Amino acid sequence: MKQELLKFFLFTALIGIAPVFIGKGYLINVFVFVGIYTILAVALNLLLGLAGQISLGQAAFFGLGAYISGVLTATHAVNPWLSMVIAVVTVGIIAFILGFPILKLKGHYLAMATLGMGIIVYIIFNETVDITGGPSGLSGIPHLSLGGIIFNSDLKNYYLVWFFAVTIILLSVNLAASRIGRALRAIHDSEVAARIMGVNARLLKVQIFSISGVISALAGSLYAHTVTFISPTSFGFNVSIELLTMVIIGGLGSIYGSFLGAAILTLLPEFFRTFQDYDIIVYGLTLIVITMFMPGGLVRGVPLLFRSLFKKEPMPQSNEKRG
Amino acid sequence: MDLSEDILQYILSGLSTGAIYAVIGLGFAIIYNSTSIINFAQGEFVMLGGMLTLFFHVTLFLSLPFSIFLAVLVATAVGALFERLAISPLKNADPLILVIITIGGSILIRGIAMLLWGKDTYVLPMFSGDEPIVLWGATLMPQNFWIFGITLIIIVANRLFFHHSIIGKAMRACSFNRVASSLVGINVKHTVLFSFAISSALGAAAGIIIAPLTMTSYDVGIMLGLKGFCAAIIGGMSGGIGTVAGGLIVGVLESLGAGLISSGYKDAIAFIILLLILFLRPQGLFVKGDTERV
Amino acid sequence: MLRIESITKIFGGLKALDEVSFTISAGEITGIIGPNGAGKTTLFNIVTGIYSPTSGKVFYEGKDITGFPPEKLAGLSMVRTFQGIELFGRMTVLENVMVGLHTKSRSGIIASAFKLPGHVREERRIRERASSWLEFAGLADLANTEAANLPFGKGRLLEIARAMAIEPHIILMDEPAAGLNSRETSDLADLIKKIKESGITVALVEHDMDLVMEICDRIVVLNLGHKLAEGSPREIQEDEKVITAYLGED
């Protein structure tokens, strides 16, 4: 417990002073995106890592959050903070309602259904041109402001986004270690045994799906107000896959791992310009290699790897069982 | 043209793309029945079929029939390789892991295709000219007839293979009971490999016959794959005539929707059907509900 | 305590259970035996809400519970263990038992995420109670082991400890001795007796006849979906029909 708290304070302190080293240049802007993707990856990890329920449609909630916030402020001049609340609540309700039929499905079928949901929403973004601006996007979304401070620079946005990201991380770590977290992990390992123990698996899965949607919508709203321009391509199928890859890299169930995954996949393209041309190859390879050889992701896998290198212990094989 | 001619036109072209979905759906069902895996990479073999044919025919100047033959061969080999490298080592894995692996495989194959052929869209020449044929007021390309013909052959061959050949029967036996099958001497490992090879070949074939009509590029696999899956799930993953019907239903509804409602929502139609089936009748349209497990 | 009333279950045209009726009395250990395919596990699955019966009713503490889902039955203090042990493999032994206390605690998502004071106190209480159940099952020294790494026999004990944590009025055990060696089996017998002594009703499906005859107060014999016989261990041992069913008629 104490250790968890220490870890969190160290992490927060690191995030807080990071801009000193990053400087005010282009890189700080990249770290704003690391923050947004961290929130998104943590949201997916709550669903996938804890409860073991896959979603290939996370980008839909991200996009809905961005578009609800964007359209309300840019077109209807609603206060940005209010629009953020409306976006988050609306997506939460949508996810909760959709969750009942969707989470009745398991494994492959669940993956297909969430994928289908993601694509339908993406098509709607493109086709409702009157509302969303269609493929050419929606511009003129205002920045957020708080007591005279307008979040219109990269540095200010950095602190804004990371304030939310760090909060989400803290809440998620707490949740994962709690009664609810245990119930979710129990569902992951054996749904039938969890139910015998009195866990209302059906409802809990829907709730965590909805929470995951809420957090993704929050990230979407932040994205809209920091970038001030949104278009459907930021919320397509590839984004859902990218998020999945981030979670797998960091490790299923590891909240800080999701930060690591988000950071790696967001920074890589900046350091390797050519990466953009090969990104999907990297995602594909990463998904396969990590899943096959390092099923706990980097956070659990790297220490194990070191131990096996130096102490000559054998690498443990994946002991996942068919469930 | 009046409305009824329009509708006939939509139905005929819908049947043609629907036939493609049916063939892709058969591929899904074959792998599902031997492994309980939904192979997310299925659509990529459809893409490979079209792109490889194009490569052999247009880049290497090989004759079209020979190019087609080579394309199917290479796609089949890729499918078998994928099974050996990524699926077979994880025999008893959590379904979640298998979903992730096949998605990984899917985008890896797509990425390599992008690396090889870029992001451009290509057209494969029609098999036998582009002189339209008018049928009761609706226009069809000769290619449509190729699609109907080849699909029919594939369906019949598929049926014959699984019901009358030894390997096919062994594969069906495995889908009913793995343990018992291995006890009577069926090599379960081989049947899984076979199922990946066969469904890759089917996917490639589907991709080849449709490419002259719809054009092809490195990323056509996602949509075609998903619609094929939609066909398979309507058919209750049986791999039989239900899958074929499923493909035709999706194709026709999509074509009618695009023509009569809005072409922008064309792709959404297939996915709405998919979600409705998954929510309401996950056992398929043509299967009687079995005893439910809570 | 538990009354099973003409339960029939049909799987794809096959009758797994045919009009089975019997009663399990409070405070007793009732054994359900029968050759493979007799329908024993199916019966457990129906009682515990995993399947719903084709026809018939299940009454528990005077209440019709037919078709209740498992999580609702847990709230009514009914619990079971599984033939092939169903542990939460990636959680520690202690955490497994803490899940067993799910119905004994109520912190929701908000309280958990924000670590509200009530939640923190409840967590401490759950942890203490879970530890004492590990003590009960003799697993205290393995509290922080990942459940997937437990040897089979210990896994069996953990499953029972976890089930006990919900403070059941009745516990249904599906072949608790399967896969255990003779020493583990005799430990298990002691544990089951201890459970009975604490006033909990036990129903068990079991193949190990020595164990069944030693600990059960009553025995119900199923064969091919029918109830073949019912009685005390001695009556069952002398029952002609039972002997024939077990030895076969060739």
Side-chain angles (χ1 to χ4, degrees):
Chain A
M1 287 286 105
K2 288 262 157 55
Q3 217 183 343
E4 269 306 317
L5 212 59
L6 188 70
K7 205 155 93 182
F8 174 72
F9 280 125
L10 267 176
F11 180 75
T12 309
L14 211 65
I15 293 294
I17 58 165
V20 177
F21 305 102
I22 300 170
K24 283 193 171 183
Y26 175 67
L27 205 54
I28 190 95
N29 175 270
V30 179
F31 272 88
V32 173
F33 288 102
V34 174
I36 290 173
Y37 283 108
T38 297
I39 299 176
L40 287 166
V42 169
L44 176 58
N45 205 351
L46 289 177
L47 184 66
L48 180 63
L50 284 187
Q53 309 298 310
I54 196 164
S55 167
L56 300 179
Q58 290 298 104
F61 298 134
F62 179 39
L64 281 171
Y67 270 104
I68 293 173
S69 226
V71 169
L72 284 179
T73 49
T75 317
H76 303 284
V78 175
N79 173 289
W81 291 108
L82 181 63
S83 78
M84 182 184 274
V85 173
I86 296 175
V88 163
V89 171
T90 312
V91 171
I93 294 169
I94 294 174
F96 190 74
I97 294 169
L98 277 178
F100 280 97
I102 283 191
L103 287 154
K104 250 196 208 166
L105 305 166
K106 292 184 185 358
H108 299 93
Y109 287 142
L110 177 64
M112 279 293 180
T114 49
L115 175 53
M117 174 195 81
I119 292 180
I120 291 172
V121 171
Y122 177 72
I123 292 171
I124 293 173
F125 291 154
N126 272 298
E127 295 303 320
T128 51
V129 181
D130 294 342
I131 303 169
T132 62
S136 49
L138 181 74
S139 56
I141 302 167
H143 287 290
L144 288 159
S145 60
L146 192 67
I149 307 169
I150 300 172
F151 294 94
N152 56 359
S153 76
D154 286 337
L155 188 65
K156 286 183 212 161
N157 277 326
Y158 175 91
Y159 283 108
L160 174 75
V161 165
W162 277 104
F163 166 76
F164 282 103
V166 163
T167 310
I168 298 283
I169 286 176
L170 178 65
L171 297 183
S172 301
V173 168
N174 285 348
L175 190 68
S178 74
R179 164 179 185 263
I180 299 291
R182 281 191 301 273
L184 288 167
R185 284 182 286 149
I187 293 172
H188 190 167
D189 282 354
S190 169
E191 184 165 337
V192 63
R195 296 181 65 191
I196 292 288
M197 294 301 128
V199 174
N200 189 339
R202 180 93 187 277
L203 182 65
L204 201 56
K205 284 195 286 185
V206 173
Q207 284 173 328
I208 201 72
F209 184 70
S210 173
I211 288 173
S212 178
V214 162
I215 300 174
S216 306
L218 173 72
S221 180
L222 284 170
Y223 179 92
H225 292 297
T226 51
V227 182
T228 71
F229 168 79
I230 50 177
S231 72
T233 46
S234 310
F235 315 106
F237 173 59
N238 277 348
V239 178
S240 294
I241 294 297
E242 215 174 311
L243 295 173
L244 177 69
T245 316
M246 288 170 183
V247 172
I248 298 293
I249 288 179
L252 286 175
S254 163
I255 303 291
Y256 291 99
S258 292
F259 156 73
L260 197 67
I264 291 174
L265 282 197
T266 315
L267 290 172
L268 264 185
E270 302 304 325
F271 289 116
F272 303 98
R273 285 280 147 203
T274 46
F275 180 84
Q276 272 154 357
D277 299 328
Y278 310 110
D279 56 349
I280 57 175
I281 297 186
V282 176
Y283 296 158
L285 265 181
T286 313
L287 284 177
I288 295 181
V289 169
I290 297 221
T291 311
M292 289 182 77
F293 301 109
M294 214 182 253
L298 290 185
V299 167
R300 288 181 75 177
V302 170
L304 279 176
L305 188 69
F306 270 102
R307 231 172 297 159
S308 67
L309 280 181
F310 295 115
K311 290 193 191 161
K312 300 228 161 83
E313 281 174 24
M315 277 287 277
Q317 286 296 307
S318 163
N319 59 359
E320 304 272 353
K321 62 172 191 167
R322 189 177 275 273
Chain B
M1 271 212 282
D2 57 28
L3 188 65
S4 68
E5 279 176 0
D6 277 349
I7 290 178
L8 182 69
Q9 176 75 57
Y10 299 143
I11 290 178
L12 283 177
S13 52
L15 286 175
S16 165
T17 34
I20 301 291
Y21 301 156
V23 174
I24 302 169
L26 287 178
F28 270 107
I30 289 168
I31 290 181
Y32 181 79
N33 285 328
S34 68
T35 61
S36 305
I37 294 172
I38 304 285
N39 179 20
F40 278 80
Q42 185 64 21
E44 305 313 319
F45 297 99
V46 182
M47 176 274 292
L48 278 182
M51 294 300 273
L52 285 167
T53 307
L54 200 92
F55 171 72
F56 290 124
H57 184 56
V58 177
T59 315
L60 298 186
F61 303 108
L62 300 176
S63 74
L64 189 61
F66 190 51
S67 302
I68 291 174
F69 172 74
L70 282 180
V72 173
L73 204 66
V74 173
T76 308
V78 174
L81 195 69
F82 176 56
E83 195 277 336
R84 284 291 91 178
L85 293 181
I87 303 294
S88 156
L90 288 171
K91 236 345 132 28
N92 289 315
D94 191 331
L96 189 67
I97 299 300
L98 291 167
V99 172
I100 294 168
I101 289 278
T102 59
I103 289 174
S106 155
I107 54 181
L108 181 62
I109 294 171
R110 196 183 312 152
I112 292 171
M114 187 184 81
L115 197 67
L116 292 175
W117 296 301
K119 294 187 175 178
D120 297 331
T121 303
Y122 302 93
V123 187
L124 192 66
M126 303 260 186
F127 291 5
S128 52
D130 47 9
E131 200 69 30
I133 299 159
V134 179
L135 208 65
W136 306 297
T139 331
L140 283 182
M141 288 294 174
Q143 189 68 27
N144 289 111
F145 293 97
W146 277 104
I147 291 177
F148 291 131
I150 291 176
T151 303
L152 199 66
I153 292 170
I154 287 176
I155 293 165
V156 172
N158 184 55
R159 171 90 194 171
L160 287 177
F161 176 76
F162 280 102
H163 288 261
H164 297 283
S165 79
I166 297 211
I167 303 172
K169 282 184 188 167
M171 288 173 68
R172 278 204 314 144
C174 279
S175 76
F176 292 126
N177 190 332
R178 249 169 208 249
V179 180
S181 303
S182 68
L183 286 179
V184 297
I186 294 171
N187 189 328
V188 178
K189 270 185 159 179
H190 285 177
T191 62
V192 172
L193 180 63
F194 265 129
S195 69
F196 271 82
I198 293 172
S199 62
S200 310
L202 286 183
I208 294 167
I209 53 180
I210 188 121
L213 282 182
T214 57
M215 302 198 279
T216 186
S217 67
Y218 79 101
D219 64 352
V220 295
I222 317 174
M223 283 295 169
L224 286 170
L226 288 169
K227 288 170 187 174
F229 172 75
C230 195
I233 191 105
I234 291 176
M237 298 311 283
S238 66
I241 208 73
T243 308
V244 178
L248 298 178
I249 291 171
V250 176
V252 169
L253 285 180
E254 184 181 86
S255 169
L256 283 173
L260 301 176
I261 304 167
S262 147
S263 62
Y265 287 103
K266 172 170 170 273
D267 288 331
I269 291 166
F271 294 110
I272 290 168
I273 300 173
L274 172 70
L275 286 184
L276 285 178
I277 297 280
L278 283 175
F279 291 171
L280 303 175
R281 286 195 68 87
Q283 73 275 38
L285 275 188
F286 312 110
V287 186
K288 273 216 190 111
D290 211 347
T291 39
E292 91 291 9
R293 283 186 64 163
V294 181
Chain C
M1 180 82 194
L2 189 74
R3 196 166 90 242
I4 286 147
E5 221 175 78
S6 30
I7 288 287
T8 299
K9 178 70 182 175
I10 301 174
F11 285 117
L14 230 81
K15 268 191 185 167
L17 289 171
D18 190 6
E19 299 278 326
V20 172
S21 305
F22 62 90
T23 304
I24 289 172
S25 315
E28 287 190 347
I29 299 179
T30 305
I32 298 157
I33 62 170
N36 283 325
K40 301 166 305 229
T41 298
T42 306
L43 184 69
F44 265 24
N45 283 340
I46 287 172
V47 172
T48 55
I50 292 170
Y51 297 149
S52 46
T54 310
S55 67
K57 284 193 178 333
V58 184
F59 292 90
Y60 166 67
E61 297 183 329
K63 192 171 176 183
D64 183 354
I65 57 153
T66 320
F68 276 28
E71 58 269 22
K72 200 164 169 186
L73 294 170
L76 299 172
S77 307
M78 179 195 289
V79 75
R80 71 172 286 185
T81 65
F82 293 87
Q83 194 177 338
I85 62 173
E86 289 276 343
L87 295 172
F88 308 128
R90 280 166 283 203
M91 298 166 73
T92 66
V93 167
L94 182 68
E95 283 178 318
N96 265 267
V97 182
M98 286 169 86
V99 176
L101 288 155
H102 190 83
T103 54
K104 303 283 162 204
S105 49
R106 45 176 38 85
S107 290
I109 291 170
I110 303 288
S112 304
F114 288 92
K115 275 201 173 177
L116 302 182
H119 165 72
V120 176
R121 249 175 286 132
E122 188 179 83
E123 276 291 298
R124 201 174 310 133
R125 190 173 53 86
I126 293 177
R127 190 170 292 271
E128 278 161 15
R129 272 169 73 177
S131 302
S132 70
W133 283 115
L134 286 185
E135 208 85 47
F136 171 85
L139 292 168
D141 49 334
L142 292 168
N144 295 317
T145 311
E146 212 170 81
N149 298 331
L150 284 183
F152 193 81
K154 299 284 182 194
R156 193 67 90 185
L157 292 178
L158 173 57
E159 218 194 5
I160 294 172
R162 187 180 68 183
M164 289 302 289
I166 89 164
E167 296 177 16
H169 297 169
I170 183 167
I171 177 167
L172 296 93
M173 301 186 185
D174 196 352
E175 297 201 25
L180 300 189
N181 63 33
S182 57
R183 230 200 81 203
E184 288 168 331
T185 305
S186 90
D187 287 347
L188 176 80
D190 293 341
L191 188 64
I192 295 176
K193 283 186 211 154
K194 208 159 94 182
I195 291 171
K196 179 195 168 184
E197 277 155 25
S198 63
I200 295 166
T201 310
V202 180
L204 67 141
V205 160
E206 188 48 69
H207 275 300
D208 184 331
M209 283 310 138
D210 294 339
L211 178 71
V212 170
M213 295 305 164
E214 182 197 334
I215 64 173
C216 290
D217 300 301
R218 277 186 80 71
I219 292 173
V220 175
V221 188
L222 295 183
N223 187 29
L224 300 169
H226 293 271
K227 185 174 82 176
L228 198 63
E230 187 179 357
S232 69
R234 163 147 324 154
E235 286 165 356
I236 294 300
Q237 273 168 315
E238 289 163 359
D239 190 304
E240 287 294 331
K241 281 183 292 180
V242 176
I243 294 166
T244 340
Y246 267 88
L247 297 179
E249 299 172 280
D250 290 317

